[in-house]
C-alpha cells in the first residue's frame, strides 16, 4: 500500500490540472473530465483532452456553451481524443446547458439535493449527456474528499485494482491500510499532492491505475 500511494497516488483531477475545491468551476471541470474518462479510450488521452479544453478557456458551462462545435472538436483533437471527438463536442454543450438549467451551473445544488444519498447523486450525474454509470462513479470517486459524505467510495474498477494487487476487497479495510501508510510517512508524495487530507480519492485513483495498467501492478509488487 505504501509503494502504491507513493508512486501512483495522483488523482485524475490533479493530473488534468484541476485544483479540486467545493466551488462551481472545479466541480464542473471534474464533470467534464468524468465524461471524457468514461469513454472507451485510454485514460491518458482523456486527461490530455480535458487539459486541452481547459487551456482553451472552456472551464465553465457558460464558456462551453459560448464555444462553437468546431472549437470543441479542435480542442479535443489537440488531446488526441479523435475517436469520439464529434459526438463528445455535442455532448459537452448539451451537458453544460442542462447543468445551467437544472442547477444554475453549480453542482453543489445537486449535492444538496442528494443529501448524502449516493444513488440520488449518481442518478443526477447520469442525466448529463455522455456521463453514464461509469462517468458518475468516476466523479464520485474523485470528489469524495471534497464531499466527504460520499467516502469511502471505491467503484468496481478500483476494487479490480485491489484484487490484482492482492489487497482486501473491502473499501473500509482498504481505507484503513491507506491511513496506516500515510501515518508511517511512507506516502509523503501522495500527501504533498493532496495537502488537505485527500486520502480516499488518492487511494481510489491509485487502485484504478493498477486496474488499468499491469505495469503498475508489477512495479508495486517488485518494490513492496
Amino acid at each position: 500500500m505504501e509503494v502504491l500511494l507513493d508512486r501512483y497516488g495522483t488523482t485524475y483531477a490533479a493530473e488534468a490540472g484541476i485544483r479540486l475545491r467545493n466551488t462551481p468551476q472545479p466541480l464542473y471541470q471534474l464533470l467534464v473530465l468524468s465524461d471524457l474518462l468514461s469513454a472507451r479510450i485510454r485514460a491518458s488521452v482523456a486527461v490530455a483532452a480535458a487539459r486541452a479544453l481547459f487551456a482553451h478557456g472552456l472551464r465553465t458551462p457558460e464558456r462551453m456553451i459560448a464555444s462553437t462545435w468546431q472549437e470543441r472538436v479542435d480542442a479535443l483533437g489537440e488531446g488526441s481524443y479523435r475517436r469520439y471527438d464529434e459526438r463528445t463536442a455535442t455532448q459537452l454543450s448539451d451537458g453544460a446547458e442542462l447543468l445551467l438549467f437544472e442547477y444554475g451551473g453549480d453542482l453543489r445544488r445537486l449535492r444538496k439535493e442528494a443529501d448524502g444519498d449516493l444513488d440520488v447523486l449518481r442518478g443526477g450525474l447520469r442525466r448529463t449527456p455522455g456521463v453514464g454509470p461509469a462517468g458518475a462513479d468516476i466523479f464520485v470517486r474523485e470528489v469524495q474528499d471534497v464531499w466527504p459524505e460520499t467516502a469511502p467510495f471505491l467503484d468496481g474498477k478500483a476494487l479490480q485494482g485491489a484484487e490484482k494487487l492482492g489487497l482486501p476487497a473491502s473499501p473500509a479495510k482498504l481505507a484503513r491500510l491507506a491511513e496506516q501508510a500515510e501515518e508511517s510517512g511512507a506516502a509523503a508524495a501522495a500527501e504533498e499532492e493532496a495537502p488537505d487530507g485527500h486520502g480516499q480519492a488518492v487511494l481510489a485513483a491509485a487502485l484504478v491505475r493498477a486496474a488499468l495498467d499491469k505495469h503498475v501492478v508489477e512495479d508495486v509488487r517488485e518494490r513492496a
Side-chain angles (χ1 to χ4, degrees):
M1 181 64 75
E2 294 175 357
V3 174
L4 176 69
L5 294 177
D6 189 34
R7 293 181 61 80
Y8 301 104
T10 301
T11 66
Y12 287 96
E15 187 179 347
I18 302 170
R19 295 178 60 85
L20 196 54
R21 296 289 186 269
N22 188 35
T23 55
Q25 181 169 307
L27 291 172
Y28 173 68
Q29 288 177 279
L30 178 58
L31 184 65
V32 170
L33 176 63
S34 300
D35 182 349
L36 300 176
L37 282 168
S38 63
R40 294 181 180 277
I41 201 164
R42 291 196 311 275
S44 59
V45 173
V47 168
R51 293 184 70 95
L53 287 167
F54 304 152
H56 281 270
L58 307 184
R59 304 184 189 94
T60 67
E62 293 87 354
R63 292 295 298 273
M64 190 68 74
I65 292 172
S67 66
T68 67
W69 179 83
Q70 190 60 55
E71 286 171 340
R72 296 190 295 275
V73 169
D74 292 344
L76 291 166
E78 288 179 20
S80 298
Y81 202 89
R82 296 188 177 88
R83 183 178 178 185
Y84 303 102
D85 56 352
E86 295 186 356
R87 182 183 69 185
T88 302
T90 299
Q91 290 175 338
L92 288 171
S93 178
D94 292 345
E97 289 182 0
L98 178 67
L99 180 60
L100 284 169
F101 179 76
E102 292 288 341
Y103 302 109
D106 189 347
L107 281 165
R108 293 176 301 181
R109 296 185 182 180
L110 172 58
R111 179 192 187 186
K112 183 177 181 180
E113 180 181 287
D115 193 25
D117 188 322
L118 273 181
D119 289 336
V120 174
L121 176 60
R122 290 153 78 189
L125 292 167
R126 288 197 300 269
R127 294 184 60 198
T128 305
V131 179
D137 283 353
I138 291 167
F139 184 95
V140 177
R141 197 175 69 207
E142 292 274 322
V143 84
Q144 62 185 308
D145 294 310
V146 177
W147 292 355
E149 71 275 10
T150 65
F153 181 81
L154 297 175
D155 61 0
K157 187 62 68 175
L159 293 176
Q160 181 183 340
E163 181 181 1
K164 289 185 176 182
L165 290 163
L167 294 171
S170 164
K173 290 181 180 179
L174 288 166
R176 283 196 294 271
L177 287 175
E179 289 171 2
Q180 292 169 5
E182 290 181 359
E183 288 171 0
S184 72
E191 291 176 354
E192 290 174 5
E193 190 67 42
D196 296 325
H198 293 181
Q200 299 301 324
V202 165
L203 168 63
L207 291 172
V208 169
R209 293 180 191 279
L212 296 176
D213 188 347
K214 65 179 182 180
H215 299 297
V216 172
V217 177
E218 293 169 356
D219 182 50
V220 170
R221 286 178 171 172
E222 287 175 3
R223 296 172 183 273

